[in-house]
């Protein structure tokens, strides 16, 4: 244990040299072009027709901020949606009962008996608990 501590202290004192070497100085580009470009490996070398115009199911937002205004991630981002009569404007009690239609089941135990899982026997439980060792001995 003492040897490990001595080695750690020696390693901390030693100057570490990275194994990768970079050529040249770090530089940040002055101008970055954010306009959509086709992928270099694209077979056509061009963007889809109507890309960014909102037609044909394409991107309908002119900028990221306009996209963010309408985006939803695990629920709406805008606080005005509930007040506008959309999501969350009514309580769940006003939406009616949650009864499945005929032939649809919410739980496996609601199915007919032939489709339910067979109960585990004591031997199967013991085999799982022992990792299968009780099957051979």
């Amino acid at each position: 244990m003492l040897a490990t501590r001595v080695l750690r202290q020696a390693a901390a004192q030693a100057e570490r040299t990275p194994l990768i070497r970079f050529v040249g100085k770090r530089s940040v580009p002055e101008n970055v072009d954010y306009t959509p470009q086709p992928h270099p490996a694209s077979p056509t070398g061009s963007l889809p027709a109507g890309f960014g115009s909102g037609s044909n199911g394409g991107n309908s937002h002119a900028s990221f901020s306009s996209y963010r205004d309408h985006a939803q991630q695990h629920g709406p981002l805008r606080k005005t949606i509930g007040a506008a009569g959309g999501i969350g404007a009514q309580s769940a009690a006003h939406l009616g009962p949650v009864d499945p239609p005929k032939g649809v089941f919410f739980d496996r135990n609601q199915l007919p008996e032939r489709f339910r899982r067979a109960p585990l026997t004591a031997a199967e439980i013991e085999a799982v608990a022992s990792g299968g060792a009780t099957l051979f001995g």
Side-chain angles (χ1 to χ4, degrees):
M1 190 157 124
L2 185 60
T4 304
R5 180 181 290 169
V6 170
L7 287 174
R8 283 186 185 162
Q9 288 175 351
Q13 298 295 331
E15 186 173 323
R16 185 178 170 279
T17 306
L19 297 176
I20 187 170
R21 296 179 186 261
F22 295 98
V23 179
K25 285 177 52 176
R26 290 184 185 180
S27 63
V28 177
E30 293 179 16
N31 296 333
V32 179
D33 183 18
Y34 290 106
T35 58
Q37 301 290 330
H39 191 275
S42 169
T44 61
S46 62
L47 292 172
F51 184 81
S53 65
S55 62
N56 299 329
N59 184 7
S60 62
H61 303 285
S63 67
F64 181 74
S65 60
S66 68
Y67 161 76
R68 178 80 177 164
D69 288 341
H70 296 90
Q72 290 189 27
Q73 179 180 4
H74 310 298
L77 295 175
R78 292 188 294 163
K79 297 181 189 320
T80 60
I81 289 181
I87 300 170
Q90 297 178 2
S91 68
H94 292 296
L95 297 176
V98 183
D99 293 327
K102 184 176 182 184
V104 177
F105 301 95
F106 288 146
D107 190 48
R108 187 182 300 257
N109 293 331
Q110 295 174 340
L111 292 170
E113 189 70 33
R114 64 183 177 180
F115 297 116
R116 294 184 190 170
R117 291 187 182 176
L120 296 174
T121 64
E124 290 173 325
I125 294 171
E126 182 62 28
V128 170
S130 68
T134 57
L135 298 176
F136 302 108

